Every structure is written in C-alpha cells, then in structure tokens.
Amino acid sequence: MNKPDNAFMVPKPRSSDPEDLAHEIVGRLCYRVGKDPKVAKPHDWLMATILVTRDRAIEYWMQSTRATYENGDKRVYYLSLEFLIGRLMRDAISNLGILEEMREALSRLGVDFEEIAKLESDAALGNGGLGRLAACFMESMATVGVPAYGYGIRYRHGLFRQRIKDGWQLEYPETWLEHGNPWEFDRRESAYVVGFGGYVDYHEAVGEEEKFVWHPAEQVIASAYDTPIVGWRGHRVNTLRLWNAEPVAPIRLDAFNAGDHIGSLKESNRADALTRVLYPADASPSGQELRLRQEYFFSSASLQDILRRHLNQFGTLENLPDKVAIQLNDTHPAVCVAELMRILMDLHGMPFAKAWDLTRGTIAYTNHTLLPEALESWPVPLFERLLPRNMQIIYEINAHLLRTAGKEHGLDGDAIRNISLIDENGERRVRMGNLAFAGAHSINGVSALHTELMKQTVFRDLHRMYPDRINNKTNGITPRRWLMQCNPDLTRIIKDAIGDKFLDDIRVLRALEDHAEDPAFQDAFARIKRLNKDRLTELVRERMGIRLDPNALFDIHVKRIHEYKRQLLNIIEAVALFDQIRSHPEKNWVPRVKIFAGKAAPTYHNAKLIIKLANDVARVINADPSVRDVLKVLFIPNYNVSLAEMLVPAADLSEQISTAGLEASGTGNMKFALNGALTIGTLDGANVEIREQVGAENIIIFGLLAEEVAERRASGHNPRAIIEASPELSQALNAIASGVFSPDDPNRYRDLINGLYDHDWFMVASDFDSYAAAQRQVDALWSNPSDWWKKAILNTARMGWFSSDRTIREYSKDIWNVPV
C-alpha cells in the first residue's frame, strides 16, 4: 500500500469564527455523539465541544511530531507516577486562542460554556504537588518548544474520592473513566510485554560477553493511551502517554469450562490491579508488592517505548544521550536505572561499562523530599523475587559504586554504608533514592533551601563523591491555568493596566508594580477578589449548606494532609483564637473564615485524625453564637484541581506553614501569591525565594529556621516546658485533649496531643507563639485596606519568576541540553 504524499496531509486552517464553530459543534453532536440538538443534554454538548477542540489540537500535534522527526531533535521523556492534569477542555481552548469565540458559538446554540465546563471530569491521575507539577511541566514544555513525552499510568480510579461522614474521611473510588475519556487515543500498536518473577539463566561464552537470560514467571501487556497536551497559542502539542495493563490471556478457558469461573480470570484480575489505584496502601506485604509492580510496570514499558522510537529513527544506541533525555520525577521511576541497564546489556549485548555510561548520560533525577519514608526503599527479598535480574544488576552497580568510593574517593565506614544501594540497618532494603542518584548525571532539588539540605543530609556522602551532580531547579507553575484561566477577571484588569505582553512573557507582570499604590487600581483589584470570594461562597453553600461572609478575611490552608504540613498548628491556633474572642468580646476582631481541604493517605492514622479534629472544631465554633460573625471554620471535601481553581483566586491569606526544612518547595504558595493572596509561612521550601522576589515586607514569616529545627531535635528539646510557658497554647491543647470538641469520645485526641508534649517532632508547640503573633499581624494589616491591597498587588506583580516556563528553560539548558 502506497503511503500518501505529505503534501496531501497538511490540513487546511480551520476557521475560528463563532458561526463556523457553532456549525462544527452541531456536526460533532449529530455525527459523533449521535444526538439531535433538540434533545441533546449538557453532557452531549460538552462532548461535542471537546471533539471540535480536539480536532484543532490534533492538527498542531501532528505538525509538532513531524517536525521533531524531520529535524532529528532531541526528545525529553518525563516519567512520573502522577499527572494531576485536571480538566482539559478550558485549558486546550484557551491555549488554542479560541476561548471567547467558543463561548460565543455555544451561546448562539443556547448553551452556557461555564455550565458544560463544570461537567468535565477531573482526570484522577495524581494526588498533590508532585502530580500538579508534572502537569504544569508538560504544558510548559509544549509552550517553550521542548519536544517531550510524559509517561505515567492510566489509573482507572486514581487515589480516591474523599467524602466526610461525621467528620471522618471516607475513601471511595474515583469514576472519572466511567463514560470514557474523549481526549485519549488508544495506541494498540504501542504495546509491550512486562515480566515479573521467574529466574535468570547464565550463559558463559568463550571470547564473548557473558550472557544472562531472564525467564519471567508472569507477564502482562502494557498498552498505550495518548493525550495531546497543548502549549500556549498552540505552537506545539506534546504527548502524555499513559499505560494500561492487560493480561496476555484474558481468560483461561480450560479452567472456566472446568467450573473454576473465578480462577480462570486470575491473570486478568492481576493485570487489572496494576492500573486500578494510585498509591495502594503499602502497610501489608501484598500492598508493597503491588506498588513495586506498578513502578516497574510503567518504567519498563516507557523504556521499551523510548528505545523502540530511538532505534526506528536513528538505528543505533550509541547516540542515546545525544537524542534522549529521561527525567525521573522523584524515586517512583528509579527502577529505570536498573531496567535500562538490563535492556542495554541483556537485549543489546553491551558490556557493563558501556551500558553504564549510556545510562548515566541519559537519565536525570529530581528529588522532591527529605523525609526518609518518602525516599522509597524495598525489602531485598521482595525485590529479588519480583525482579530477579534487576536485583542482580543493582548488586553489580553497587559493587562498582562502592569500589569507586573506596579507591578513588577514599571513603570508608559510615560513608560507605550511607552510599550503598543496600540499606543494611535491620531488614535489608534497596534504596531507590541512592539508585537514582548513582544512575543519573544530574540530581536536582526543587528550591534553593531544599537543594542545599540535600547536600547536607540524605545525599551527603554521595555529594562528596560527585560534587558536580546536585543542582537546583526551583519549581514553577503555569500562569495560563493558574492566572489566565482560573482568574480571568484579574487577567483582564492587568491587561487594561499594563497591556497584553505578559500573556506571552509572564515576567512583564513586574510592570504592575507601578499601580500598587494607585487607589483606583486597588479598588479594581479588591472588587475582583470579592467576586472570586462570592463564587467560592456560593460553591460552599451549594455543597455544604454553610453560609460564609465574603467580607471576612478568607484564610485558606489546602494541601495534602500530613503532620509536617502542620494543619494541626492552624487548627490549634483557631481554638486559641476562639477562646480569645469569647474572652474579649469588646475587642475589634477581624472577621475570618478558615478553610481547610486536602486528602490523607488511607492508612495514615494521625492525618485522618487531624481531618476529624478540623471538622470537630468547625462544628463547635460554627455553632457558637458569640463568634458567629467573627470566626468560621470549614473543611471542604474532595480537594482536586477544579476545587483549587475556585479556592486560589478567592484567598486573602495563604497558609504555607510546614516545619522548616521539610517542604521541598511547594507550588500552592506560588499559585496563591500570583492571585494576590498574602503568604503566612515559615522559611521553608520556595517560601525563601518568594520572600526574595516579593520583598520581606510583603510576606508574613514566622517560626524556627531549618537549622534551628535540626539543632532542637539533636539537643532533645523539652516541648512540655514550651507548652506550659504559653498560656494560650496550653489552654487550647487542654480543651482539645479533654474532649471539649469531642464530647462523644473525650479521649479521641489525647494521644495526638500527648505527642506534642512528649516529642513534638514537627515543632508545632515550638512555633505556636510565633505563629499566633504573625496571625495578629495579619489582622492589623487587614484593618488597613490600602496597605493590604498594595502588598497583594505587589505579590501578583513579582511572581512572574515562578513560572514553570522559566523552570523548564533551566532544565533544558542545564540538564537536558535541548535548545529552546
């Protein structure tokens, strides 16, 4: 069959006239959705609108792909277990530059764009900051012109859908794929076999490289689904490729016909489990095994796909680092180091030294945490049983690494033990962070503070061996989604004030500084904030039946629930404030609404208890008539990207209060500040750089520094004495521990509070008085509107540096060697 000439494959430019768009939408509705416009439901119009948008994206997608092949460009492959992409329709339409035209086209058809946009499902492909960062990076790579693929897993149910019942978090499956995903394309030709278990054969050959052959006991098929990711103005469209697991044999007919109807589906169910849920609970051995299976499954499939594409185009692996850049987003895909070595050595016959050079030249690793439990490690027996050949290679890499450490760098003793890929303390475990470090030419942190702490703590001895590998790439956010799309009214008044150049270069926002003290602009800025608070107020009323006062200060704390993120500190301060307001009704208290949202890992007891405490405290405070007009507390269930797009523009105060030294970067801090919220926070993660950018006078900083936290932990500080010296803190903790907020179970929070008295690992008590004083500073500032809005405007004006476009350009120049 002759292939058509490329000249006939270039599509004609499509019209963006609203009338033409309306005709296209009706056409898709009739011929693709199969509905008469007279009886079409809102979800039908949503599908038709997505299909019209998708067709336009596909044209740019094909052009981008052809250009990459024709130019022989180097590609970036971004491997992440999470991609929290949210809803895609508004993002794609906006980036294609047809948002107003599409809105008008739908209006002519009697359809409200905003109403159907709400019906699109949030893709349940992530949990928090890690996944949202990956999504921002994918959009920015397309925007700045980096040829890229994102690789992940096509989770059917994602993390979970959170419901709150009697104040407790309950987990339910997400059903985002229940009615299909119109954005994705099934690539049946891109399917790869991934093995598990079995044994390894050794073949000794005279005069040749020894040969190892892995015989897996079990195999599954990784099948690809592609989603186009549209960059700003549609100049480039990249690919997000997600893997679905399918059985080699979907049913054992012999077993089925013999009456074992359940057992005959064992292989199908085992494959299905791989892509059901993000982060299955790993408290049990089976849970640990499933997590490791997931990580290897998507890592192996991605590497097979990458090498197939590379060999098809270039015919050799000798130039792999020149044409391929693989970025590991945290330790989840760290097994890629051993897997790429296996493919190069066992399937392509390369000696260890050659394969090691190519692997290190190709792979780079982003570290996102200093928490030991988040730097993954796997029991050696599990790893050896599930991935026997990879385990052999890890031992070989480790031997090479330790010999180099001793002979070339003179390291021994504790340094050798810290560098080793095998943790010998207690149960022997494979250290995935060390494996990623050893197998990468670049290891980057995600904020200046985090990067320096990496050098001093988790990778101290590896950094001594390889002092040039660690570098910093401070995280960023895409301003398209986190300003232009989620806050169009603010975008409009900025455009009126400084022109529209900032839409293409967000650094131009600095020009807004000249308007920070302009009373007219301050009024306009405040009106936009009030509109966004009105929208959030309506959402809360609809979902929760709670009425908020949009004139109050909206104090918002939204992120994954974890003790180091210190939602507990915020709740305790709310209790103390509650006591103060009731004790001193004569004072002129600033009306405040404290809003919490976030999910706790299903097996993280204390995090789930903190959610319950937030709801218990909210129930008591909101029912007390003495504070009803002054203080309100609420926990909004099921935090996701779409909810964030409502919360971020409505925030007056952004809570970024993690224990110093534990937050790698954070990106929520950037989103809130870009939208004119003031930050209250510790000098942790990217808060340090935000203070540098916006000015110390435009951010409220409190609490211990990272080095002070380390010193207190090392010296064995006495939290009990700290608590007893603080009457407000002591009174609040006593109220919580004694059951004031849990009369049905007075001892519910006893152990949680006792932990603060006994060790206070996350410095909640140590930072309480400083935090409470900072909140009263916020009150004083809120009472001076002119000063408040000046600071809010300056935050927006000075956040352009935190664009993920800047971050991606730095990765491209310093790590990937890709011109942009």
Side-chain angles (χ1 to χ4, degrees), residues 340-371:
L340 182 54
M341 289 290 289
R342 183 188 72 83
I343 294 172
L344 295 177
M345 293 165 64
D346 295 359
L347 304 185
H348 294 278
M350 289 188 187
F352 176 89
K354 179 67 174 176
W356 189 232
D357 285 345
L358 291 179
T359 296
R360 286 186 303 168
T362 302
I363 289 176
Y365 161 52
T366 301
N367 173 271
H368 284 279
T369 184
L370 303 175
L371 293 173

Coordinates of all heavy atoms in Angstrom, one line a residue, residues 340-371:
L340 N 17.1 0.0 32.4 CA 17.8 0.5 31.2 C 19.1 -0.3 31.1 O 19.4 -0.8 30.0 CB 18.0 2.0 31.3 CG 18.7 2.6 30.0 CD1 17.9 2.2 28.7 CD2 18.8 4.1 30.2
M341 N 19.7 -0.6 32.2 CA 21.0 -1.4 32.2 C 20.6 -2.8 31.7 O 21.4 -3.4 30.9 CB 21.6 -1.4 33.5 CG 22.2 -0.1 34.0 SD 23.8 0.2 33.1 CE 24.9 -1.0 33.7
R342 N 19.5 -3.4 32.2 CA 19.1 -4.7 31.7 C 18.9 -4.8 30.2 O 19.4 -5.7 29.5 CB 17.9 -5.2 32.5 CG 17.4 -6.6 32.2 CD 16.1 -6.9 32.8 NE 15.0 -6.3 32.1 CZ 14.4 -6.7 31.0 NH1 14.9 -7.8 30.4 NH2 13.4 -6.0 30.4
I343 N 18.2 -3.8 29.7 CA 17.8 -3.8 28.3 C 19.1 -3.6 27.5 O 19.3 -4.4 26.5 CB 16.8 -2.7 28.0 CG1 15.5 -3.0 28.6 CG2 16.7 -2.5 26.5 CD1 14.5 -1.8 28.6
L344 N 20.0 -2.7 27.9 CA 21.2 -2.5 27.1 C 22.1 -3.7 27.2 O 22.8 -4.1 26.1 CB 21.9 -1.2 27.6 CG 21.2 0.1 27.5 CD1 22.0 1.2 28.1 CD2 20.9 0.4 26.0
M345 N 22.3 -4.3 28.3 CA 23.2 -5.4 28.5 C 22.6 -6.7 28.0 O 23.3 -7.4 27.2 CB 23.6 -5.6 30.0 CG 24.4 -4.4 30.5 SD 24.4 -4.4 32.4 CE 25.3 -6.0 32.7
D346 N 21.4 -7.1 28.4 CA 20.9 -8.4 28.1 C 20.3 -8.5 26.7 O 20.3 -9.5 26.0 CB 19.8 -8.8 29.1 CG 20.4 -9.0 30.5 OD1 21.6 -8.8 30.6 OD2 19.7 -9.3 31.4
L347 N 19.6 -7.4 26.2 CA 18.9 -7.4 24.9 C 19.7 -6.9 23.8 O 19.5 -7.2 22.6 CB 17.6 -6.7 25.1 CG 16.6 -7.2 26.2 CD1 15.3 -6.5 26.1 CD2 16.4 -8.7 26.1
H348 N 20.7 -6.0 24.1 CA 21.5 -5.4 23.1 C 23.0 -5.7 23.2 O 23.8 -5.1 22.5 CB 21.3 -3.9 23.1 CG 19.9 -3.5 22.7 ND1 19.5 -3.4 21.4 CD2 18.8 -3.2 23.5 CE1 18.2 -3.0 21.4 NE2 17.8 -2.9 22.6
G349 N 23.4 -6.6 24.1 CA 24.7 -7.2 24.2 C 25.8 -6.2 24.6 O 27.0 -6.4 24.3
M350 N 25.5 -5.1 25.3 CA 26.5 -4.2 25.7 C 27.2 -4.6 27.0 O 26.6 -5.2 27.9 CB 25.9 -2.8 26.0 CG 25.5 -2.1 24.8 SD 25.0 -0.4 25.2 CE 24.3 0.2 23.6
P351 N 28.5 -4.4 27.1 CA 29.2 -4.7 28.3 C 28.8 -3.7 29.4 O 28.2 -2.6 29.1 CB 30.7 -4.4 28.0 CG 30.7 -3.5 26.8 CD 29.4 -3.9 26.0
F352 N 29.0 -4.0 30.7 CA 28.5 -3.2 31.8 C 29.0 -1.8 31.7 O 28.2 -0.8 31.8 CB 29.0 -3.8 33.1 CG 28.6 -3.0 34.3 CD1 27.4 -3.2 35.0 CD2 29.5 -2.0 34.8 CE1 27.1 -2.4 36.1 CE2 29.1 -1.2 35.9 CZ 27.9 -1.4 36.5
A353 N 30.3 -1.5 31.4 CA 30.9 -0.2 31.4 C 30.2 0.7 30.3 O 29.9 1.9 30.6 CB 32.4 -0.3 31.2
K354 N 30.0 0.1 29.1 CA 29.3 0.9 28.1 C 27.9 1.2 28.4 O 27.4 2.3 28.3 CB 29.4 0.1 26.8 CG 28.7 0.8 25.6 CD 29.5 2.0 25.2 CE 28.9 2.6 23.9 NZ 29.6 3.9 23.5
A355 N 27.2 0.2 28.9 CA 25.8 0.4 29.3 C 25.7 1.5 30.4 O 24.7 2.3 30.4 CB 25.1 -0.9 29.7
W356 N 26.6 1.4 31.4 CA 26.6 2.3 32.5 C 26.8 3.8 32.0 O 26.2 4.7 32.5 CB 27.6 1.9 33.5 CG 27.6 2.6 34.8 CD1 28.6 3.3 35.5 CD2 26.5 2.8 35.7 NE1 28.2 3.8 36.7 CE2 26.9 3.5 36.9 CE3 25.1 2.4 35.7 CZ2 26.0 3.9 37.9 CZ3 24.3 2.7 36.7 CH2 24.7 3.5 37.8
D357 N 27.7 4.0 31.1 CA 28.0 5.3 30.5 C 26.7 5.9 29.8 O 26.4 7.0 30.0 CB 29.1 5.3 29.6 CG 30.5 5.2 30.3 OD1 30.5 5.4 31.5 OD2 31.5 4.8 29.6
L358 N 26.1 5.0 29.0 CA 24.9 5.5 28.3 C 23.7 5.8 29.3 O 23.0 6.7 29.1 CB 24.4 4.4 27.3 CG 25.3 4.2 26.1 CD1 24.8 3.1 25.2 CD2 25.5 5.5 25.3
T359 N 23.6 4.9 30.3 CA 22.5 5.1 31.3 C 22.7 6.4 32.0 O 21.7 7.2 32.1 CB 22.5 3.9 32.3 OG1 22.1 2.7 31.6 CG2 21.4 4.1 33.4
R360 N 23.9 6.6 32.6 CA 24.1 7.9 33.3 C 24.0 9.1 32.4 O 23.6 10.2 32.9 CB 25.5 7.8 34.0 CG 25.5 6.9 35.2 CD 26.8 7.0 36.0 NE 27.9 6.7 35.1 CZ 29.2 6.9 35.4 NH1 29.5 7.5 36.5 NH2 30.1 6.6 34.5
G361 N 24.4 9.0 31.2 CA 24.3 10.1 30.3 C 22.9 10.5 29.8 O 22.6 11.6 29.4
T362 N 22.0 9.5 30.0 CA 20.6 9.7 29.6 C 19.7 10.1 30.7 O 18.8 10.9 30.5 CB 20.1 8.4 28.9 OG1 21.0 8.0 27.8 CG2 18.7 8.5 28.4
I363 N 19.9 9.6 31.9 CA 18.9 9.7 33.0 C 19.3 10.9 33.9 O 20.5 11.1 34.2 CB 18.9 8.4 33.8 CG1 18.1 7.3 33.0 CG2 18.1 8.7 35.1 CD1 18.1 6.0 33.7
A364 N 18.3 11.6 34.3 CA 18.4 12.7 35.3 C 17.3 12.5 36.3 O 16.3 11.9 36.0 CB 18.3 14.1 34.7
Y365 N 17.6 12.9 37.6 CA 16.7 12.6 38.7 C 16.3 13.9 39.4 O 17.2 14.7 39.8 CB 17.3 11.6 39.6 CG 16.8 11.4 41.0 CD1 15.5 11.2 41.3 CD2 17.7 11.5 42.1 CE1 15.0 11.1 42.6 CE2 17.3 11.3 43.4 CZ 15.9 11.1 43.6 OH 15.5 11.0 44.9
T366 N 15.0 14.1 39.7 CA 14.5 15.2 40.5 C 14.1 14.6 41.9 O 13.3 13.7 41.9 CB 13.3 15.9 39.9 OG1 13.7 16.4 38.6 CG2 12.8 17.0 40.8
N367 N 14.7 15.1 42.9 CA 14.4 14.7 44.3 C 13.3 15.7 44.8 O 13.4 16.9 44.6 CB 15.6 14.7 45.2 CG 15.2 14.5 46.6 OD1 14.9 15.4 47.4 ND2 15.2 13.2 47.0
H368 N 12.3 15.2 45.5 CA 11.2 16.0 45.9 C 11.0 16.0 47.5 O 10.1 16.6 48.0 CB 9.9 15.6 45.3 CG 9.7 16.1 43.9 ND1 9.3 17.3 43.5 CD2 9.9 15.4 42.7 CE1 9.3 17.4 42.2 NE2 9.6 16.3 41.7
T369 N 11.9 15.3 48.2 CA 11.6 15.1 49.6 C 12.9 14.8 50.4 O 13.8 14.2 49.8 CB 10.6 14.0 49.9 OG1 10.3 14.0 51.3 CG2 11.1 12.7 49.4
L370 N 12.9 15.3 51.6 CA 14.0 14.9 52.5 C 13.4 14.0 53.6 O 14.2 13.6 54.5 CB 14.5 16.2 53.2 CG 15.1 17.2 52.3 CD1 15.5 18.5 53.0 CD2 16.3 16.7 51.5
L371 N 12.1 13.6 53.5 CA 11.5 12.7 54.5 C 12.0 11.3 54.2 O 11.8 10.8 53.1 CB 10.0 12.8 54.4 CG 9.4 14.1 54.9 CD1 7.9 14.1 54.6 CD2 9.6 14.4 56.3

